[in-house]
Amino acid sequence: MPPSVADTAGAAIGRPRGVRRPRLTSVSGLVIVLWIVCAFVVLLPLSAIIVLAGDGSRLAFLFEADILEAAANSLVSALSSALFAVVLGTAFSYLLDRSDLPGRAILRLLALSPLLMPPFVGAIAWIGVAGPTSPVNLWWREAFGSPLWSIYGGDGVIMLLTIHSYPIVMLIVSAALRRIPSDLEQAARIAGAGPLRAATSVTVPLLRPALASSFIVVAVGNLADFGIPSIIGLPERFVTLATLVYRYLQSGTVDDPLQVAATIGVVILVLAVLGLAANALIMRRGHQLDVSTAVVRPLRLGAGRIPLGIGMWILILGVTVLPLCALLMQTLLVAPGVEPTWDNLTLDHLTTALTTETALQGAANSVGLAVTAALVCGILGLAIGVVVARVPSRVTTWLGGAAMLPQAIPGIVIAVAWLALAPTLGLFNTPWLILAAYITSFLALVVQAVAAPLETTPASAEEAARVAGAGRLRSLIDITCRMATPAAVSGALLVAVTAARELTLSVLLLSPGSQTLGVAIFNFQQAGAFSTASAWSLIVAVVGLGFVSVITRRLK
């Protein structure tokens, strides 16, 4: 057979005969477009912060006394809170999933509720429980001359980071518990081990990968938390890297504060990436077990069932409901520290909160930014999730990894990265800067919500559409996208809730006219308007818990 024109041309340029040039399909074009968008949203800001700090001119500044102190405080608070969260979350998971503790279902929902409250709101709430003017400390001061314990300082920061982190451990450990065959414990008990011995010798060793993974995830997340250290730590001069960067950017106490902040941000970024790599290695080396079909026999607590149940109820209610009650009292009392009598109750603080122009403007800005971020993340996350799940290749796998990368990067790094990029893009001192940071931070929520269920769903419907004559892209749009739209909507709603109450990004990227509600509450607290801050915190907590409960029902 004579060679075709294409083969002749291919031979002329050095390509072997019979090998055709790869054709760019519509799906390939979509992947390229998504890569370009993802590179702009994720890779470009991270590259900007590395370039800004890359000349190393500020590395010596990292050894200044205040930075070393802040770094030590950050490491101590992050590692300590992660350790306590793992212990507490693991104990809660086992008791609520593998024991006959009374009221386990309600206790599990209550124990997970701190995950739904913004950490800075939780900090304001806990001031009413253990602050200097809390009822307990006032009574103790009158009886013994000094407060029982003040939440301000490093120990308070560690405690609150633990409270807001142990639900993450619960979710990870509970998922791992469901993968551990229950008949392993039963075999140990048949061999003569008691219930506690069977749990510690069989179940806990199999949980080690999940425990190590949850420790790393919590430690990385708490390393650069801003809300809790700023509200609880700063009054006692407990400075962390996040609060130090905020001070540098706001006060200009150092030369070229943005480059200094970028250098600090790169250090935190390196720690986060190392943690992410360690987490991936741990999970890869974890035990792979088949799920058992044996009926789970809960651990019999025996005579300790009722006392342990009462203790769990007291502990979980104290951690979850008590702060909300204290927040309510701070809102209703005429002044902090007064006796909670009917004469000292008022709605004035709530009225002031709902009529303060700055807070209302912040609430409007938060809603606008949150809705816009939810729409952008919903559309972009739907496209990336569908491509990652239904177009398996090395290119799409790396695309999914790039989109998920910000989930392991502290918010302070993302904020400084966009600050470094803002002057070049003309976003400096505009609300679009906050929006861009929101999209970078929260895109992974939608990608994960879309890709996870699709990866376990058969592709038979798409194959049927292809057989009927639809192209690859058409079948993805008509079939896969429609199936994944409810998951994308749920993910977008979660983005909206998270963005509306976010603080770290907003407070570092604040510009004239773009104040958010989280920043407004933070400013009230810093200015001494504690009751107004408590009123808005109560509103955010109640609305957030209600909204997330609706999303949870929708996901179910």
Side-chain angles (χ1 to χ4, degrees):
M1 181 179 294
S4 64
V5 176
D7 291 335
T8 305
I13 62 175
R15 179 159 45 88
R17 290 182 178 180
V19 179
R20 299 182 179 276
R21 184 185 301 275
R23 184 168 60 92
L24 182 65
T25 64
S26 56
V27 174
S28 301
L30 175 62
V31 173
I32 292 173
V33 171
L34 292 177
W35 255 115
I36 294 173
V37 176
C38 189
F40 176 80
V41 171
V42 176
L43 302 182
L44 182 60
L46 297 182
S47 302
I49 191 176
I50 294 174
V51 170
L52 183 61
D55 60 358
S57 60
R58 290 290 178 176
L59 284 178
F61 195 82
L62 296 179
F63 297 95
E64 295 287 336
D66 55 349
I67 293 184
L68 290 177
E69 180 185 0
N73 290 339
S74 296
L75 288 175
V76 169
S77 60
L79 296 178
S80 301
S81 60
L83 178 61
F84 293 145
V86 168
V87 173
L88 192 62
T90 303
F92 282 1
S93 297
Y94 194 86
L95 288 173
L96 298 177
D97 291 341
R98 287 290 183 95
S99 76
D100 61 347
L101 199 74
R104 296 189 305 274
I106 300 177
L107 281 174
R108 186 181 294 108
L109 292 177
L110 289 174
L112 291 173
S113 62
L115 190 63
L116 310 179
M117 184 183 297
F120 75 95
V121 171
I124 295 174
W126 272 95
I127 291 175
V129 178
T133 59
S134 66
V136 174
N137 275 327
L138 288 178
W139 174 81
W140 196 271
R141 182 185 290 113
E142 291 180 0
F144 301 99
S146 62
L148 174 62
W149 176 69
S150 176
I151 197 170
Y152 290 122
D155 48 353
V157 170
I158 293 173
M159 189 195 80
L160 289 186
L161 288 176
T162 301
I163 289 175
H164 285 272
S165 301
Y166 81 79
I168 299 175
V169 179
M170 282 187 61
L171 294 176
I172 297 175
V173 173
S174 294
L177 277 175
R178 287 192 291 270
R179 296 290 303 173
I180 297 177
S182 60
D183 47 6
L184 293 179
E185 282 189 15
Q186 296 176 19
R189 296 182 66 175
I190 292 174
L196 184 60
R197 178 68 180 276
T200 56
S201 61
V202 175
T203 306
V204 173
L206 294 176
L207 285 176
R208 285 174 184 169
L211 298 180
S213 175
S214 59
F215 176 84
I216 293 173
V217 169
V218 170
V220 170
N222 290 347
L223 180 64
D225 184 84
F226 175 80
I228 291 175
S230 62
I231 294 175
I232 302 300
L234 287 183
E236 290 292 329
R237 298 183 180 180
F238 185 84
V239 180
T240 62
L241 289 175
T243 55
L244 187 65
V245 168
Y246 173 74
R247 188 179 76 189
Y248 285 161
L249 295 176
Q250 293 296 317
S251 62
T253 53
V254 297
D255 296 332
D256 201 353
L258 186 57
Q259 190 174 21
V260 173
T263 305
I264 297 174
V266 168
V267 174
I268 299 175
L269 176 61
V270 170
L271 294 176
V273 171
L274 290 176
L276 181 65
N279 183 44
L281 184 62
I282 290 171
M283 296 307 293
R284 185 178 300 175
R285 292 183 177 181
H287 301 280
Q288 298 296 325
L289 297 172
D290 294 329
V291 179
S292 173
T293 58
V295 178
V296 177
R297 294 184 179 180
L299 173 66
R300 299 293 180 181
L301 299 177
R305 179 174 181 266
I306 299 302
L308 187 58
I310 295 174
M312 282 287 291
W313 273 97
I314 294 175
L315 178 59
I316 292 179
L317 288 177
V319 168
T320 58
V321 178
L322 182 60
L324 289 177
C325 295
L327 201 59
L328 178 62
M329 293 306 299
Q330 291 179 81
T331 302
L332 297 180
L333 288 177
V334 292
V338 300
E339 294 183 3
T341 61
W342 285 108
D343 295 335
N344 291 331
L345 299 182
T346 180
L347 295 176
D348 292 344
H349 301 307
L350 190 61
T351 303
T352 301
L354 294 175
T355 56
T356 303
E357 185 177 353
T358 56
L360 293 176
Q361 183 63 43
N365 290 339
S366 292
V367 171
L369 290 170
V371 170
T372 307
L375 289 175
V376 174
C377 290
I379 296 173
L380 184 59
L382 174 63
I384 294 177
V386 167
V387 168
V388 168
R390 287 295 193 253
V391 189
S393 69
R394 183 173 298 179
V395 175
T396 55
T397 300
W398 281 99
L399 174 63
M404 297 296 294
L405 179 61
Q407 199 172 37
I409 298 176
I412 183 177
V413 177
I414 295 175
V416 174
W418 276 106
L419 274 177
L421 196 62
T424 304
L425 299 179
L427 298 177
F428 195 70
N429 278 339
T430 66
W432 305 113
L433 184 60
I434 299 178
L435 177 62
Y438 281 176
I439 295 172
T440 301
S441 297
F442 306 136
L443 174 62
L445 295 176
V446 182
V447 175
Q448 192 173 29
V450 171
L454 280 181
E455 288 174 350
T456 59
T457 303
S460 55
E462 293 92 325
E463 294 170 357
R466 296 290 302 279
V467 171
R472 184 75 181 276
L473 182 61
R474 181 66 180 273
S475 64
L476 288 177
I477 295 175
D478 287 352
I479 305 298
T480 312
C481 285
R482 289 187 178 182
M483 288 193 302
T485 295
V489 171
S490 298
L493 289 175
L494 189 58
V495 169
V497 174
T498 306
R501 59 188 190 174
E502 193 277 333
L503 178 62
T504 303
L505 297 173
S506 305
V507 77
L508 291 175
L509 302 178
L510 182 65
S511 61
S514 62
Q515 177 174 263
T516 63
L517 181 57
V519 176
I521 297 174
F522 175 73
N523 289 337
F524 284 137
Q525 183 71 19
Q526 297 300 301
F530 303 116
S531 298
T532 305
S534 300
W536 269 113
S537 298
L538 181 64
I539 295 172
V540 170
V542 173
V543 173
L545 290 173
F547 204 78
V548 171
S549 65
V550 173
I551 296 176
T552 304
R553 291 181 182 178
R554 186 177 179 87
L555 287 173
K556 289 180 180 180

